[in-house]
Amino acid sequence: MTSMSLKKGANRKSAYDLKNPLNEQIETHTLAVLVDNEAGVLARVIGLFSGRGYNIDSLTVAETDAEGHRSRITIVTTGTAGVIEQIKAQLALIIPVYKVNDLTVEGASVEREMALLKVAGKGEKRVEAMRLADIFRANVVDSTLESFVFEITGTPEKIEAFTDLMRPLGLVDTARTGVAALARGLA
Amino acid sequence: MSAELTGAEIVIEALKEQGVDTVFGYPGGAVLPIYDMLFQQNKIRHILVRHEQGATHAAEGYARSTGKPGVVLVTSGPGATNAVTGMTDALMDSIPMVVLSGQVPTFMIGNDAFQEADTVGITRPCSKHNWLVKDTETLAETIHQAFHIATSGRPGPVLVDIPKDVQFASAPYKTRAKSPTGHYNPRVKGDLDEITRAVEAFERAERPVIYSGGGVINSGVASSQMLRELVAATNAPITSTLMGLGAYPASGENWLGMLGMHGTEEANLAMHDCDFMLCVGARFDDRITGRTDAFSPGSFKVHIDIDPSSINKIIHVDVPIIGDVGHVLEDFLKVWKARGRKTNAPAIKKWWGQINEWRARNCLNFRNSDKLIKPQHALQRLEALTKGMDRYITTEVGQHQMWAAQYLGFENPNRFMTSGGLGTMGYGLPASIGVQVAHPESLVINIAGDASFLMNMQEMGTAVQFNLPVKQFILNNERLGMVRQWQQLLHGERYSHSWSESLPDFVKLAEAFGAKGILVDDPADLDEAIKEMLAYDGPVIMDCVVEKHENCFPMIPSGKAHNEMIFADGETEGAIDAEGKTRV
């Protein structure tokens, strides 16, 4: 393997990187996938991503139309423009998939994520955590004398910023829901 | 029909309604109720294979040679897992196939019951779709939907997993007409604006080439006719992938031979130098393109494909047309005729001058021998002695497969069955059985290598049991020929485990199965041996002992472009660089 001249951007850990010799820009897209809520449908979607070497940054799924047995899967994924197009085309091939919407390119959309953060601390650190939570409009959903659980809703960037601030203040655990997204307006 | 049927009866009824005349299968505990119903009827013929992989490849041979879906019936657990290779093969080559598998009863699922496997989980990535039927009420509609999905759009394998209690329970039978098809309804008509753009570019083209693939054959015989009409009317040169052989006749004037890794020089250079490429039902597979960033650098590319995910997957095209090849070609011809049947005839004539120069180099030439049988020569003699016969060819995978594609001529679609995408050794013998079942009066020959043949040789038992006179034409080099060739070219002639030290005596093997065996190792006896094989009314294993170290040329080394081929008499030392080595 040592004498092999590996393409730029490739590494020894990942064979998939060899697929993309062109130094194309990596984009992040939010996809909304409407599916029949039948057994195994999530496994089909996830299997597509793992089988073809695509990335999943976040994924949320729940039934959104109980009568019609439809679920909505929101996937945040990264890849070159060509890979994103492939992901959409491959998703559309899955039989229980009704519709694939790329919220990143199909007009404006809103994205929200919820996170729970457990922060342990005493004294000044505890006060500071409380103060920052207020600025970020995070709610306290559980409290002991030595800990808080904050609930925060917002874009993934906002949640990351809040998480970064909590880290030195005694962040113990984080749970994130992943992104839910909808197109703005009547689109 | 309001009377209730058992699940097993529903299976048989649904198969009958779908027009199924043949099922390839193997019984076992979890499908016994269905086998019991098979026993009590005589409309559907069951071909008992010797291994479930054989059933899937036989179904592929049946499907590929008839255009109808192949049907497979297997039991739970190992029955289903043995079907996985054939399903993956069918998925890669877009072969319509319906696999029915037994499953442990619903109340035992998840308990690691005897012969339990997560069949829908295992076959999810190797099927177009699959279902676990938990209720007899939905069994009929699921089977009807399975046929719909397997055969429409880009065809492929589907699997219906049927627990044993669902086979015993009763429910009313739902006819095909009353079964919901779901929202799956792939588009067959191409966009007219795109087709017009393609025609405009075609009219101006100075150096056009048509590159056709398996999609033309899947689309039906009429599509091959339209392709032929297009070629004849425009005088465009045409080449094809392995899967597309026969759509345009090998004897046709505009035929360049197969393209790709072991394609002809004229086909590959025409692809490289063309200024207009019409890709019809092919998918720019890596065996075709070679190095993608050097693939046909100066051409305007049009891609007709029924699968939207094939578009721009590997090669960026200028005009994508999503639709069924037959519908799109029909519209393409209509538009082209309506616009006055224009072509750039003088330029195309000049282009042919160039192509004929390449052709004259006769890249398939090889040094023949009067001492040893050259595999290419054996195939040339087979071709000569079977010319004009009602002939179907299957192959295994390896050097012999490429030689078959190079040296046999395919005049019609559905006559060449081979494992293209997956490259499954062991495909050819069971596939030949499936073809022979569908065409009992025709000549069916499997071109095999000694190593591939051994992978599913148990199916000789099937051939003998059902009086299927399949001819197994083994080009025996006592090697894993293609592996050996790559080791010679890429790995310093270190032949790691690419030879068979204890091959069976193929004549005795044939006789042990109750078939006929013929051995030939002298070029002088070759014709007589082939005639003897053809004349025998029953299955034959022909052990054709050939030159052991023959290489398959021309060859585009991995990681190289179409204009960087290596030839039989060329220098092969260092032909493949380190980067090429990492590829397959």
Side-chain angles (χ1 to χ4, degrees):
Chain A
M1 289 290 275
T2 43
S3 66
M4 230 165 63
S5 65
L6 287 167
K7 283 242 154 93
K8 229 185 192 172
N11 61 55
R12 260 152 247 245
K13 281 187 201 150
S14 163
Y16 296 124
D17 289 346
L18 286 169
K19 278 184 182 169
N20 174 26
L22 302 171
N23 195 15
E24 282 183 87
Q25 198 136 22
I26 302 290
E27 303 170 3
T28 299
H29 284 238
T30 305
L31 308 178
V33 187
L34 207 60
V35 300
D36 274 328
N37 186 16
E38 60 177 46
V41 64
L42 186 60
R44 288 179 207 282
V45 170
I46 292 172
L48 169 69
F49 277 77
S50 65
R52 292 185 183 265
Y54 304 142
N55 300 308
I56 298 179
D57 286 2
S58 103
L59 184 144
T60 60
V61 54
E63 192 172 71
T64 51
D65 171 7
E67 232 167 76
H69 294 288
R70 300 278 173 86
S71 289
R72 187 180 168 99
I73 304 177
T74 309
I75 306 167
V76 181
T77 181
T78 52
T80 61
V83 166
I84 301 282
E85 284 310 307
Q86 261 301 298
I87 291 173
K88 289 190 267 181
Q90 293 287 350
L91 281 170
L93 286 184
I94 297 175
I95 305 290
V97 168
Y98 275 81
K99 226 166 124 186
V100 181
N101 286 109
D102 185 341
L103 297 175
T104 305
V105 297
E106 295 168 16
S109 61
V110 280
E111 290 189 0
R112 286 296 178 268
E113 187 177 357
M114 203 259 277
L116 297 173
L117 288 87
K118 185 176 286 178
V119 180
K122 284 179 177 172
E124 190 48 42
K125 281 190 174 174
R126 184 172 161 87
V127 177
E128 181 61 18
M130 195 63 203
R131 202 161 26 225
L132 285 167
D134 201 36
I135 294 168
F136 276 79
R137 293 189 191 156
N139 298 321
V140 176
V141 291
D142 177 64
S143 176
T144 66
L145 290 175
E146 290 167 4
S147 70
F148 288 123
V149 174
F150 294 116
E151 173 210 310
I152 180 168
T153 306
T155 62
E157 292 75 26
K158 178 179 165 182
I159 288 167
E160 270 148 37
F162 185 64
T163 309
D164 286 346
L165 288 170
M166 286 302 115
R167 207 164 278 126
L169 299 176
L171 182 67
V172 179
D173 226 342
T174 313
R176 293 175 68 160
T177 60
V179 171
L182 275 182
R184 285 182 188 271
L186 281 173
Chain B
M1 224 184 276
S2 55
E4 296 214 331
L5 302 181
T6 65
E9 287 170 328
I10 286 173
V11 169
I12 303 298
E13 198 55 41
L15 292 181
K16 281 185 196 161
E17 199 189 343
Q18 290 287 341
V20 174
D21 53 18
T22 308
V23 169
F24 301 91
Y26 203 99
V31 275
L32 283 178
I34 299 174
Y35 270 88
D36 198 26
M37 291 323 299
L38 268 176
F39 188 82
Q40 298 177 45
Q41 57 83 47
N42 49 25
K43 283 225 167 101
I44 298 170
R45 186 181 186 201
H46 179 271
I47 304 293
L48 175 70
V49 294
R50 298 300 183 265
H51 183 289
E52 290 87 351
Q53 187 191 351
T56 54
H57 295 321
E60 285 187 275
Y62 178 93
R64 184 98 177 134
S65 67
T66 60
K68 296 196 286 183
V71 181
V72 174
L73 178 58
V74 296
T75 193
S76 62
T81 57
N82 281 343
V84 164
T85 302
M87 291 182 67
T88 312
D89 195 272
L91 187 71
M92 290 286 263
D93 286 344
S94 310
I95 309 293
M97 183 198 288
V98 177
V99 181
L100 305 174
S101 56
Q103 180 57 279
V104 302
T106 49
F107 53 85
M108 290 175 84
I109 288 178
N111 286 345
D112 297 325
F114 178 63
Q115 294 198 327
E116 180 185 357
D118 175 9
T119 301
V120 288
I122 289 167
T123 59
R124 204 174 278 132
C126 66
S127 61
K128 193 172 163 186
H129 197 56
N130 61 15
W131 299 260
L132 170 65
V133 180
K134 287 186 168 169
D135 186 350
T136 311
E137 295 266 348
T138 60
L139 181 56
E141 64 182 66
T142 305
I143 294 174
H144 292 311
Q145 205 189 357
F147 275 88
H148 170 66
I149 286 170
T151 53
S152 48
R154 180 176 176 173
V158 297
L159 177 139
V160 184
D161 202 24
I162 313 171
K164 198 172 182 181
D165 54 335
V166 172
Q167 298 170 35
F168 276 125
S170 296
Y173 178 74
K174 204 179 255 181
T175 60
R176 185 179 179 174
K178 288 203 173 133
S179 297
T181 53
H183 64 277
Y184 182 72
N185 210 352
R187 165 178 184 174
V188 290
K189 292 283 273 185
D191 184 285
L192 262 185
D193 292 341
E194 299 284 22
I195 292 173
T196 308
R197 274 180 69 206
V199 171
E200 280 167 10
F202 191 45
E203 289 167 349
R204 289 192 304 269
E206 294 178 3
R207 299 183 307 282
V209 71
I210 297 174
Y211 141 51
S212 71
V216 182
I217 291 169
N218 279 337
S219 177
V221 179
S223 303
S224 293
Q225 276 310 324
M226 271 181 279
L227 182 71
R228 291 168 186 212
E229 189 190 336
L230 179 69
V231 172
T234 61
N235 195 30
I238 176 165
T239 177
S240 151
T241 66
L242 181 71
M243 296 309 293
L245 293 176
Y248 183 83
S251 61
E253 276 183 23
N254 296 38
W255 177 239
L256 302 181
M258 182 178 74
L259 83 158
M261 184 173 270
H262 292 291
T264 66
E265 187 182 13
E266 51 268 38
N268 285 333
L269 290 181
M271 288 288 280
H272 186 269
D273 288 0
C274 68
D275 70 345
F276 175 90
M277 180 189 297
L278 181 62
C279 168
V280 190
R283 59 181 177 90
F284 298 98
D285 175 87
D286 57 68
R287 301 292 97 163
I288 296 305
T289 59
R291 208 175 104 198
T292 48
D293 57 359
F295 175 74
S296 193
S299 62
F300 184 92
K301 298 177 186 73
V302 177
H303 186 185
I304 305 171
D305 203 306
I306 199 159
D307 177 1
S309 77
S310 288
I311 305 289
N312 294 336
K313 181 168 71 177
I314 294 157
I315 298 293
H316 184 83
V317 295
D318 299 281
V319 179
I321 304 173
I322 295 164
D324 169 64
V325 164
H327 286 86
V328 174
L329 281 183
E330 191 183 359
D331 286 341
F332 189 96
L333 277 164
K334 262 189 212 158
V335 172
W336 179 71
K337 285 175 188 166
R339 287 170 54 91
R341 299 167 169 265
K342 283 177 280 188
T343 60
N344 192 341
I348 293 176
K349 199 174 168 212
K350 201 172 147 212
W351 176 223
W352 271 111
Q354 169 67 71
I355 291 172
N356 286 332
E357 268 176 43
W358 293 329
R359 265 183 176 170
R361 296 211 284 251
N362 205 357
C363 67
L364 293 179
N365 227 349
F366 61 94
R367 227 167 279 149
N368 209 350
S369 159
D370 55 5
K371 293 190 178 61
L372 289 166
I373 299 175
K374 291 281 189 165
Q376 303 96 319
H377 176 67
L379 289 169
Q380 281 181 336
R381 293 316 303 155
L382 183 70
E383 169 75 2
L385 293 168
T386 58
K387 204 154 190 86
M389 290 185 184
D390 175 18
R391 182 188 80 179
Y392 291 82
I393 300 287
T394 67
T395 77
E396 303 286 347
V397 169
Q399 286 183 319
H400 65 274
Q401 177 190 29
M402 292 297 107
W403 282 318
Q406 291 172 335
Y407 294 94
L408 300 181
F410 299 98
E411 295 298 310
N412 288 300
N414 305 100
R415 295 285 174 152
F416 183 51
M417 275 52 62
T418 193
S419 170
L422 193 64
T424 309
M425 291 171 73
Y427 167 91
L429 166 52
S432 71
I433 286 172
V435 175
Q436 190 81 73
V437 166
H439 309 276
E441 303 303 323
S442 306
L443 170 64
V444 182
I445 306 172
N446 174 32
I447 311 296
D450 49 284
S452 279
F453 182 79
L454 292 184
M455 281 211 181
N456 269 326
M457 67 171 178
Q458 76 284 350
E459 298 305 331
M460 283 307 292
T462 309
V464 172
Q465 179 174 343
F466 292 93
N467 297 316
L468 302 167
V470 290
K471 315 299 183 210
Q472 305 300 317
F473 193 78
I474 302 176
L475 296 170
N476 180 356
N477 58 7
E478 300 169 21
R479 299 288 182 280
L480 281 63
M482 194 60 97
V483 172
R484 190 210 55 77
Q485 175 169 344
W486 278 56
Q487 288 171 335
Q488 182 191 337
L489 298 177
L490 282 156
H491 295 276
E493 301 182 37
R494 291 179 297 280
Y495 299 118
S496 179
H497 302 276
S498 54
W499 75 98
S500 311
E501 265 192 74
S502 56
L503 280 173
D505 177 330
F506 284 107
V507 173
K508 281 188 187 156
L509 183 72
E511 287 162 2
F513 275 111
K516 181 181 174 68
I518 302 170
L519 172 72
V520 61
D521 55 8
D522 186 335
D525 302 332
L526 181 62
D527 275 24
E528 272 320 300
I530 292 174
K531 284 180 194 161
E532 192 187 346
M533 172 185 87
L534 297 174
Y536 184 72
D537 183 21
V540 179
I541 298 177
M542 165 99 149
D543 183 9
C544 182
V545 179
V546 297
E547 156 78 85
K548 297 185 197 326
H549 299 112
E550 193 70 14
N551 280 339
C552 184
F553 288 119
M555 177 179 184
I556 304 176
S558 289
K560 291 285 167 83
H562 277 170
N563 58 351
E564 298 175 286
M565 305 187 83
I566 49 178
F567 299 94
D569 46 3
E571 179 58 54
T572 56
E573 187 69 30
I576 303 174
D577 55 24
E579 193 198 308
K581 236 187 221 184
T582 66
R583 296 170 181 268
V584 287

